[in-house]
Structure formats: C-alpha cells, structure tokens
C-alpha cells in the first residue's frame, strides 16, 4: 500500500513535463520529530483549497494542472529526493546542565563525568553559538551569589575554550539566585539550583 | 554589579543579532547569497540577514540556524528568499516569512512557532505553508525533468 503511494509520488516528482505543465509540481512532506511521532502540523493552502498534514510522512502534492492531492511517502523516497537537503540541516539547539559543589565553582563528581559528553557535542558543531548562564542556590547574600554564579559560568567557559572553542563564540552571564530551578525559601541548600545552563546552537 | 553581567550579556547578544537573523552552519559545493543586489560568496559562520536570498548550484547545499533556533536547509539547484524575520528573545514573539523559488527545502521550526502558531509561513510558487510547530520538506519539480 505504502509502496503504491510512494510509486505514485515518485512518478509525480519525475514526470511533470508530460502534460505541458502550467505550474511546477510541488511536494510537501511532514517529517516525524526526534521521537518518531508527528512533529506538529502543517497547513497547506493553495488558492481555495486547504489541507492539514499532521501524520509522519503525510504528503501533499500540487499537480501541474493545479490539483492538490494528499498521499503518504516512504522514508526511502524521502531520502532519495531530500538526502542532500537533510544532510545540510544543522544540528538542533540543545541545553545542558552542569551542577556544582556548594559555595564553589567546582563541578560535582556526576557533572564531571558528564563533561566529556557535553564538550564532545560542542566540538561537533563547526561554528557553535554558546550562551553559558550561571546560577546558585539561595544560601548567602544576593551579591555573593551574583559573583559565584558568574564564576561558575566563567569556569565552564574555560572548559569550552580549553577544547578549542573560540572565546568570541561564548557569551557568559551570572543570574545569582534569581532563577531557582527548584523553588525554595532563602538560605536553602538545594543542589539542583547550583548549576550552569549551557545553550548551544 | 548585580545587573552588570546580565546587561553585558544582553548587549552582546543584541549586537550580534541586530542585523543578523541567522548564521550559515553548513555549506557544501556551489552556493552564494544575494544581498542588496550583490552576490556574496558563502562561508560557514557567515551571518544571514532579512531580505537575503540563498542560492545553490548543482552540487551545492546550505544549512542555516536562525535566532529563534529554527533550522533551514536547501539542497542542490535551490533558491530560498528570507523575506522577513523578526524575533523577540524575551517574549518569543516574531514573524518568519520565507519563499522557496526552486529546488528543495527542509525546515525544523523554532521558538516563535511554539509561542504563536501563525508566526512562520513558507511560500512556494503554488502554495502557502502555515507552520504549526513542525519538521517538513518541500520540493519544487524542475520544468522539463
């Protein structure tokens, strides 16, 4: 069944000149998201016709005579028609969290173990844009936490420049105790709040 | 002191994105950008601006990230115009209009579409695609193929 549809689309993609087309054939395909499920929906509007694609590999073809048709395509057909295009798609933006020892700019043993994996991701991006934001728990004064959060961010920047990432691709900020990940009262020793968030794209 | 770091960060970010709405992350084969009537050779790391048109040759492809984390790539023999791009990193509001004139396009939508479903539109010669938080592909067949 899928193969029959795939064949129909393949023919449509390759053989649009037969009827002396008034418009160029167009194919739109909804892709699955990273979890394999539908990544959202796409509304295809052509003059007065409107179709919504909301299933993985659901496709919509504008024929050369202007007709709009729904279809499903195979992942193989996607690779044949869009292989070079998909290969050029940049890596997705990602967020990493690193946690710190209380009152210090030193990583916890768990985050030290995660560091190599995180640095490897950063290094795999040819021109990364990196924002490093330091945070603290609510122990101590707001002023000392501002300083500590910036020290934590700068420490992470040092790790990143240490693997060869140019410093001008990294922006650091310290948010002190303003953005607690886990809401607490003042002077709460909450390990999950002692963190640096790394956003990279 | 309290706000200095945040203000510096904001200043750096807003400078970086003042005119630049995106950045070339992948460039293969023949590819250039048409900007204000001039033809600019593409290199990895090059900023992309509103009103730029991305063009690839027979062996070319380009991948670009935009300020709201949306990702676009075009395959060989493709032409894509970035008609309009605006994005507020605080509210995640914005507008992204692009036109595929020929060839193939892959899109992974970003933050602005999560904020408002009508924020991103892709035009083709025959259609308007409304992006409701999604990943998709578009191909325009070559005449005479």
């Amino acid at each position: 069944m899928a193969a029959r549809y795939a064949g129909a689309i393949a023919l449509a993609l390759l053989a649009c000149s037969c009827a002396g087309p008034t418009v160029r054939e167009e194919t739109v395909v909804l892709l699955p998201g990273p979890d394999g499920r539908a990544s959202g929906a796409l509304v295809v509007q052509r003059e007065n016709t409107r179709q919504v694609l909301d299933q993985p590999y659901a496709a919509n073809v504008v024929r050369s005579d202007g007709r709009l048709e729904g279809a499903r395509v195979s992942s193989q057909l996607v690779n044949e028609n869009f292989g070079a295009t998909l290969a050029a798609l940049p890596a997705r933006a990602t967020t990493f969290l690193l946690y710190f020892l209380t009152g210090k700019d030193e990583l916890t043993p768990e985050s030290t173990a995660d560091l190599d994996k995180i640095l490897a991701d950063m290094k795999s991006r040819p021109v990364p844009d990196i924002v490093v934001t330091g945070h603290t728990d609510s122990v101590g004064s707001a002023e000392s936490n501002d300083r500590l959060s910036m020290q934590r961010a700068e420490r992470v920047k040092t790790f990143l420049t240490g693997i060869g990432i140019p410093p001008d691709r990294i922006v650091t900020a310290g948010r002190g105790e303003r953005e607690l990940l886990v809401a607490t009262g003042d002077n709460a020793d909450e390990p999950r709040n002692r963190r640096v968030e790394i956003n990279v794209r | 002191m309290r706000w200095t770091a945040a203000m510096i960060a904001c200043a750096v970010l807003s400078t970086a994105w003042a005119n630049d709405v995106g950045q070339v992350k992948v460039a293969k084969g023949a590819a250039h950008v048409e900007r204000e009537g001039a033809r600019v050779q593409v290199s990895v790391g090059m900023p992309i601006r509103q009103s730029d048109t991305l063009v690839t040759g027979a062996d070319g492809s380009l991948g670009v990230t935009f300020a709201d984390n949306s990702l676009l790539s075009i395959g060989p023999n493709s032409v894509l115009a970035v008609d309009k791009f605006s994005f507020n990193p605080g509210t995640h509001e914005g507008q992204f209009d692009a036109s595929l004139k020929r060839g193939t396009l892959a899109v992974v939508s970003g933050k602005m579409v999560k904020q408002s479903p009508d924020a991103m539109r892709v035009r083709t010669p025959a259609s308007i695609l409304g992006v409701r938080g999604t990943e998709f592909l578009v191909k325009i067949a070559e005449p005479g193929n």
Side-chain angles (χ1 to χ4, degrees):
Chain A
M1 191 68 171
R4 203 188 74 196
Y5 282 127
I9 304 277
L11 281 174
L13 291 167
L14 295 171
C16 67
S17 64
C18 319
T22 51
V23 294
R24 284 177 284 164
E25 291 236 356
E26 294 180 13
T27 306
V28 181
V29 183
L30 189 80
L31 288 180
D35 62 357
R37 285 186 285 180
S39 51
L42 191 67
V43 181
V44 182
Q45 180 97 36
R46 154 117 175 106
E47 289 174 1
N48 298 324
T49 327
R50 192 181 132 105
Q51 267 180 330
V52 178
L53 305 180
D54 58 5
Q55 294 298 316
Y57 298 109
N60 188 283
V61 184
V62 179
R63 298 286 175 201
S64 52
D65 59 9
R67 275 180 303 127
L68 206 65
E69 286 178 11
R72 275 182 79 82
V73 298
S74 65
S75 57
Q76 187 197 340
L77 197 80
V78 163
N79 288 333
E80 283 167 13
N81 282 281
F82 296 96
T85 317
L86 286 167
L89 204 57
R92 284 159 205 276
T94 315
T95 299
F96 296 104
L97 285 175
L98 288 168
Y99 296 94
F100 287 77
L101 298 177
T102 181
K104 296 184 175 173
D105 63 356
E106 285 170 39
L107 293 175
T108 62
E110 294 78 14
S111 283
T112 303
D114 284 346
L115 191 60
D116 283 348
K117 188 186 71 195
I118 294 171
L119 294 178
D121 175 278
M122 305 277 164
K123 210 166 183 183
S124 73
R125 298 170 191 257
V127 281
D129 295 303
I130 302 170
V131 179
V132 178
T133 312
H135 303 271
T136 67
D137 61 25
S138 58
V139 175
S141 70
E143 289 71 23
S144 66
N145 280 332
D146 279 352
R147 264 196 311 277
L148 178 58
S149 64
M150 198 62 201
Q151 281 168 12
R152 287 175 173 165
E154 287 296 330
R155 190 70 191 269
V156 170
K157 182 174 178 174
T158 306
F159 290 134
L160 293 168
T161 52
I163 60 160
I165 293 173
D168 63 358
R169 304 222 61 93
I170 308 167
V171 175
T172 54
R175 295 287 292 148
E177 56 180 74
R178 289 182 198 81
E179 287 176 32
L180 301 177
L181 191 63
V182 177
T184 66
D186 200 16
N187 281 313
D189 179 10
E190 170 53 63
R192 287 170 291 177
N193 286 333
R194 295 192 291 269
R195 71 207 192 274
V196 160
E197 188 176 309
I198 309 171
N199 287 289
V200 59
R201 77 168 162 236
Chain B
M1 178 64 199
R2 170 181 297 232
W3 291 106
T4 316
M7 282 168 66
I8 290 171
C10 287
V12 170
L13 283 173
S14 58
T15 308
W17 294 109
N19 291 310
D20 306 340
V21 300
Q23 190 175 46
V24 174
K25 299 285 190 182
V26 180
K28 290 174 197 155
H32 69 271
V33 169
E34 285 168 11
R35 176 176 294 166
E36 290 161 11
R39 186 185 161 116
V40 185
Q41 204 54 43
V42 167
S43 56
V44 171
M46 173 185 169
I48 293 299
R49 298 179 185 161
Q50 179 173 278
S51 304
D52 280 352
T53 298
L54 315 178
V55 183
T56 54
D59 64 343
S61 60
L62 281 177
V64 180
T65 57
F66 286 84
D68 76 326
N69 286 349
S70 39
L71 314 173
L72 260 64
S73 63
I74 56 173
N77 291 320
S78 300
V79 178
L80 179 82
V82 179
D83 302 315
K84 182 170 171 59
F85 185 98
S86 63
F87 178 63
N88 180 330
T91 62
H92 289 187
E93 285 167 316
Q95 195 187 341
F96 193 174
D97 289 341
S99 306
L100 184 68
K101 317 276 190 193
R102 62 179 291 206
T104 54
L105 167 70
V107 176
V108 176
S109 66
K111 290 178 183 170
M112 74 168 77
V113 168
K114 286 199 183 101
Q115 170 65 30
S116 58
D118 294 318
M120 184 179 190
R121 272 177 311 199
V122 175
R123 287 166 200 280
T124 67
S127 319
I128 299 172
L129 310 175
V131 182
R132 303 280 160 84
T134 195
E135 303 176 21
F136 64 96
L137 301 164
V138 188
K139 177 165 185 163
I140 303 169
E142 286 295 309
N145 265 3

